[in-house]
Amino acid sequence: MEESIAHEGTGSPLSRRSFLQGVVGVTGLGLLGASGMAALSGCAPEQASARGSASFDPGTYTASAAGKHGDVTVEVTFAADRIEAVEVTGHSETEDISYVPLTVLPRAIVESQSVEVDTVSGATLSSQAVLNAVSDAVKQAGASPKDLPPFDASALSQSMTPGTYEGEAYGKWKKGSIEGERFGCPADIEPVRVQVSVDASSILSVEVLSCSDTPGFFEPAVERTPKDIVEQQSLFVDTVTGATLTASAITAACAKALEQAGANTACFAKATPHVDGAEAYEADLCIVGAGTAGTTAALKAVEEGLSVVVLEKTARISGEGSCATGALAVGSRLDESVGNHVTVDEVFSNMMDYYYWRTDASLTYNVLSHSGEMIDWLQDHWEQTGQKGFSAPKATEGTSIAHDYGKGREKFQVLWDTFIIPGGATLLMSTRADALVVEDGAVAGVTATRQDGTAVSVKAKTVLVCTGGFGGNAAMQRDILGSSDFYLNGVASNTGDGISMCRKEGATLSSDVSPHLAEFCSNDVLDFYAGYMKFLNQTGFLMLDPSGNRYMDESFCITHALARGASGMRRVGSSYIVFTQADFDKLLTSGVHEILGEDIIAEYKMRERILVPSYHTLQAEMDAALAHGQAWKADTLEELGELAGFDADTYARSLADYQAVVASGEDALFGKRAELLHPLEEGPFYAVRVVSPIDGTYNGIKVNERMQALDEANAPSPRGLFVAGQDSGGYFSYPYTDYVGATCGYALTTGMMAVGSIKEYLGK
């Protein structure tokens, strides 16, 4: 079945098969007279404009400001009465994703003589870094940014060579990425390609010709971004939340095409206009979040006869669920079909013992007891629509008893298109919930804002919050987890909105709020996860903390990837993996095969994705890491330590201890097996900085077995507030359970379960 995108209001879908056929152009905007065409023009004829009273000390000044991945450095040249040039001379931002703020924004500053240019939606940190750095340079030149005029695109002139041009830029996956294929992308990633037609002053049409980004994520951006660029005559259009990287790639590719047309791209630096409107809704239940838990909750609610309004801040449904491959469940019909007789009591006992009974026993038992029912219920719906749905568990014992259903959004979309929307639910996409409305200790609804600025109010006696945790909110991670030294492999739009709303109204956090650690390793400046660098900790190489101290048996990253390896890496924040040129050459030509040997690979039952014949992109990945200060190379170990910034004494002691361990073949401190004690004898040597990857967070607001939010006294508060999925807490502790598919199974089950409690609360 074709994957489709639900359109609020019209209900009409856009299929993946047909998206390339639609060209957004002026002809699609209705019949426009001459005045209408003038309004669409990228820039009006040049007009006289007061430029303020700023005067500068002529010269070139250098300034830097913090961007997303480090400092952005600019050189700004001033004449006595104007800014002559702005050039970004150094940065660690993602090239194509930050193309518009790093190229168009500087030109807009020069053309307008203003630093009041709007930031680029979807690249706010990169944009703000440019603006802050230029403002600093203005001060160095003896002026004040306040003396500069406001930005006015209509005062700028435009003259393009009419015609059709093409541009390209990489989105979610970069050139050479190997990770996208797991999510349904082509094996060979290609850039997003766009075709742009222009006349002398206007963008006439934008068409996306091809896109290799993740299916189930990219479609809303392909549908909306070209249309917005044409309608608004701007490269600074609002991003498509939930598809930000694809939207950024489209605008970057469009900018490159416009440059070929000789465009003054500063004319297209206009912010999206927002409306001053309001909408009001009323329902039995308001669901905040249309992800994994929100989908099962909405489906169950319409089947139980409840009126429902669903608020989803992104432009897509399914959330993290489309990235998961299966769900932990016990006692389904599929279990019975393969003779899987694992019981709820058995899994309950194993999970509680694993967590030393730090979790909520009543909640855990209730979720597991409903998990088989959840599988059967969803499977019935999918079979009605021709979907394959779940597969029977591959194992009939142990912790790998998940019910697989494959990655992708289609299985969720069909539930919305076939059952939830026809069942009467109202789905408001691109609508961010702002606050709970609480009256006399009970919820009375939710206030929200659409992306276009429209204020939304929902009157409801019950609210279910399920916004997916806060994996995409570094500040919240620092506040709650104590660190944000992670690489997010999950959904960046999960920024803790729901948790913050609940806490503001008296609900409390559960114990053991934790990052959902993922296996392997990555980097928070460069995307190691897209290539082979993520497997560096699957080698047993020496690993040091930021001081240069060895801190664990490095083979834990292979044998106990989450419970020990990832947990150890989390404790130290940044880890530094140290190895030789000879080791690197082996990885490049034969992956881990020669490094580890086939006996160890077989003994540890290493995953197939690690065991490819060669890590052929590793040289390019290493070159990028060296260029961005995330890896260091030296002829001696002593020089390597200086480059990496280790404490000299700690590092020297660690090296001496490690070399003694290698020589003796016995690791008295950590017990690492001799075959994995890699010698460090002949240079050159490398050190690569890595951090723990995370899929998101788990454990949020404390709930009881009925999914009611609780206060510090364990009483439901405010009344009528329910929480499901990764916004709720009590089912997990730290480290993550050994059971495969636990978070997905929990989200699917608790969304369904919560509605039973909500219906009872409402007395229906």
Side-chain angles (χ1 to χ4, degrees):
M1 182 173 179
E2 283 189 31
E3 185 164 11
S4 61
I5 303 165
H7 294 263
E8 62 197 64
T10 64
S12 54
L14 171 72
S15 69
R16 287 192 63 217
R17 183 180 301 149
S18 64
F19 90 89
L20 291 178
Q21 299 171 3
V23 181
V24 179
V26 170
T27 54
L29 300 177
L31 296 176
L32 298 174
S35 60
M37 287 299 297
L40 279 175
S41 176
C43 295
E46 188 170 9
Q47 302 170 5
S49 173
R51 289 299 183 184
S53 57
S55 61
F56 308 99
D57 297 328
T60 298
Y61 300 84
T62 300
S64 298
K68 182 174 176 61
H69 296 304
D71 282 351
V72 174
T73 301
V74 301
E75 284 187 356
V76 186
T77 301
F78 298 90
D81 60 349
R82 63 178 283 106
I83 303 172
E84 293 283 0
V86 174
E87 180 183 1
V88 176
T89 57
H91 69 89
S92 295
E93 310 300 88
T94 306
E95 291 288 346
D96 282 345
I97 301 305
S98 299
Y99 185 84
V100 172
L102 297 181
T103 59
V104 178
L105 186 54
R107 183 166 185 177
I109 292 170
V110 174
E111 291 286 332
S112 66
Q113 297 293 295
S114 175
V115 290
E116 294 184 14
V117 187
D118 275 295
T119 57
V120 180
S121 180
T124 304
L125 296 178
S126 302
S127 304
Q128 199 61 57
V130 172
L131 294 171
N132 289 343
V134 174
S135 296
D136 184 15
V138 168
K139 294 175 184 177
Q140 293 181 48
S144 169
K146 296 179 180 179
D147 294 335
L148 301 178
F151 177 74
D152 181 8
S154 68
L156 308 180
S157 63
Q158 181 67 278
S159 179
M160 295 183 285
T161 302
T164 298
Y165 303 87
E166 292 187 8
E168 60 183 40
Y170 285 95
K172 167 61 179 175
W173 305 111
K174 310 305 178 288
K175 184 177 181 180
S177 297
I178 63 168
E179 188 75 0
E181 191 174 8
R182 295 180 56 233
F183 296 90
C185 301
D188 295 321
I189 298 296
E190 295 183 352
V192 176
R193 292 177 53 241
V194 304
Q195 187 177 82
V196 181
S197 294
V198 301
D199 63 16
S201 61
S202 304
I203 303 172
L204 300 178
S205 68
V206 176
E207 178 184 3
V208 177
L209 300 177
S210 63
C211 179
S212 292
D213 284 353
T214 309
F217 283 79
F218 76 77
E219 294 89 348
V222 168
E223 177 193 2
R224 201 178 91 189
T225 304
K227 173 176 175 287
D228 288 349
I229 291 172
V230 175
E231 287 185 350
Q232 299 170 31
Q233 293 292 293
S234 178
L235 295 168
F236 283 35
V237 295
D238 276 345
T239 192
V240 180
T241 308
T244 300
L245 298 180
T246 303
S248 296
I250 292 171
T251 55
C254 188
K256 294 177 183 181
L258 290 169
E259 288 166 359
Q260 296 173 44
N264 178 359
T265 52
C267 292
F268 301 119
K270 295 173 288 190
T272 298
H274 285 181
V275 301
D276 184 17
E279 298 174 357
Y281 300 85
E282 186 170 355
D284 295 322
L285 167 64
C286 179
I287 300 174
V288 182
T292 313
T295 296
T296 54
L299 178 61
K300 190 68 173 177
V302 296
E303 291 183 346
E304 293 296 328
L306 301 181
S307 56
V308 186
V309 172
V310 183
L311 305 176
E312 171 55 50
K313 80 172 183 181
T314 75
R316 52 180 293 276
I317 53 88
S318 79
E320 188 85 25
S322 58
C323 302
T325 54
L328 171 65
V330 188
S332 70
R333 293 194 301 264
L334 288 169
D335 281 321
E336 185 177 349
S337 72
V338 295
N340 184 2
H341 301 302
V342 175
T343 66
V344 168
D345 287 348
E346 179 182 345
V347 177
F348 169 76
S349 178
N350 289 340
M351 288 183 70
M352 296 304 296
D353 287 347
Y354 179 87
Y355 284 138
Y356 292 92
W357 287 75
R358 295 195 303 271
T359 54
D360 186 319
S362 297
L363 173 64
T364 301
Y365 198 87
N366 202 25
V367 171
L368 292 172
S369 297
H370 283 85
S371 62
E373 172 194 343
M374 175 273 294
I375 296 289
D376 295 343
W377 172 65
L378 285 178
Q379 190 69 11
D380 287 343
H381 286 82
W382 279 324
E383 288 178 357
Q384 290 180 51
T385 64
Q387 292 282 307
K388 177 179 180 292
F390 292 107
S391 298
K394 296 176 182 178
T396 56
E397 61 181 3
T399 58
S400 297
I401 56 173
H403 295 61
D404 288 348
Y405 62 1
K407 298 183 188 298
R409 190 186 63 178
E410 186 172 356
K411 55 187 173 287
F412 292 95
Q413 191 67 57
V414 74
L415 297 176
W416 288 91
D417 292 345
T418 309
F419 303 105
I420 301 172
I421 299 301
T426 299
L427 173 62
L428 304 181
M429 304 290 283
S430 300
T431 303
R432 183 193 69 247
D434 297 322
L436 295 169
V437 178
V438 177
E439 298 175 356
D440 297 325
V443 296
V446 178
T447 59
T449 306
R450 286 187 181 268
Q451 192 171 21
D452 67 3
T454 301
V456 175
S457 63
V458 182
K459 183 179 180 181
K461 292 182 179 179
T462 57
V463 174
L464 174 63
V465 171
C466 40
T467 62
F470 55 98
N473 189 329
M476 199 167 179
Q477 290 167 19
R478 290 189 291 271
D479 178 48
I480 296 176
L481 305 177
S483 172
S484 60
D485 287 336
F486 307 113
Y487 164 81
L488 178 63
N489 188 46
V491 178
S493 55
N494 291 348
T495 53
D497 305 359
I499 292 174
S500 297
M501 288 168 51
C502 295
R503 293 180 75 190
K504 186 175 180 180
E505 297 301 333
T508 192
L509 287 174
S510 64
S511 59
D512 287 345
V513 181
S514 303
H516 184 182
L517 296 171
E519 56 193 343
F520 312 138
C521 61
S522 194
N523 183 276
D524 50 4
V525 174
L526 296 172
D527 185 5
F528 286 0
Y529 230 69
Y532 291 110
M533 289 282 262
K534 66 175 172 285
F535 297 144
L536 280 181
N537 70 343
Q538 299 297 296
T539 58
F541 292 154
L542 173 65
M543 296 176 68
L544 305 174
D545 70 13
S547 72
N549 184 54
R550 185 179 178 223
Y551 63 90
M552 72 171 176
D553 175 353
E554 296 87 353
S555 67
F556 284 159
C557 293
I558 310 173
T559 60
H560 302 79
L562 298 179
R564 298 182 185 180
S567 297
M569 289 177 62
R570 178 203 173 184
R571 184 185 66 80
V572 301
S574 297
S575 298
Y576 296 76
I577 303 178
V578 179
F579 51 95
T580 68
Q581 181 69 54
D583 294 327
F584 180 78
D585 293 341
K586 291 175 184 178
L587 290 172
L588 194 61
T589 58
S590 62
V592 298
H593 291 276
E594 190 175 356
I595 292 288
L596 297 177
E598 300 305 323
D599 290 344
I600 287 180
I601 288 172
E603 178 184 342
Y604 288 162
K605 299 178 181 179
M606 297 183 71
R607 297 177 63 177
E608 289 184 9
R609 57 189 295 211
I610 307 171
L611 303 177
V612 295
S614 70
Y615 291 173
H616 61 276
T617 66
L618 198 60
Q619 185 64 64
E621 296 175 52
M622 180 61 78
D623 291 343
L626 290 167
H628 285 81
Q630 300 304 304
W632 300 266
K633 182 179 181 180
D635 291 330
T636 67
L637 288 169
E638 291 75 19
E639 182 187 0
L640 187 71
E642 293 175 5
L643 292 174
F646 298 139
D647 176 76
D649 292 340
T650 301
Y651 177 60
R653 185 171 58 252
S654 294
L655 280 182
D657 290 347
Y658 181 72
Q659 287 170 328
V661 164
V662 172
S664 68
E666 183 176 346
D667 187 359
L669 180 59
F670 296 119
K672 185 178 180 180
R673 60 191 294 174
E675 302 96 312
L676 294 175
L677 293 170
H678 299 285
L680 297 170
E681 296 173 346
E682 184 176 346
F685 302 96
Y686 292 90
V688 179
R689 176 181 170 271
V690 299
V691 299
S692 297
I694 61 172
D695 291 324
T697 60
Y698 59 77
N699 275 355
I701 298 300
K702 184 189 293 186
V703 296
N704 59 19
E705 72 276 11
R706 302 177 59 75
M707 309 313 297
Q708 292 173 297
L710 304 178
D711 61 16
E712 292 184 355
N714 289 330
S717 179
R719 300 186 308 277
L721 177 61
F722 298 78
V723 190
Q726 309 322 314
D727 280 348
S728 63
Y731 183 77
F732 295 101
S733 187
Y734 183 81
Y736 185 66
T737 176
D738 283 342
Y739 278 99
V740 177
T743 47
C744 186
Y746 177 74
L748 292 168
T749 303
T750 55
M752 179 194 74
M753 280 174 46
V755 173
S757 301
I758 288 166
K759 187 178 179 183
E760 183 175 333
Y761 175 86
L762 291 171
K764 295 194 175 187

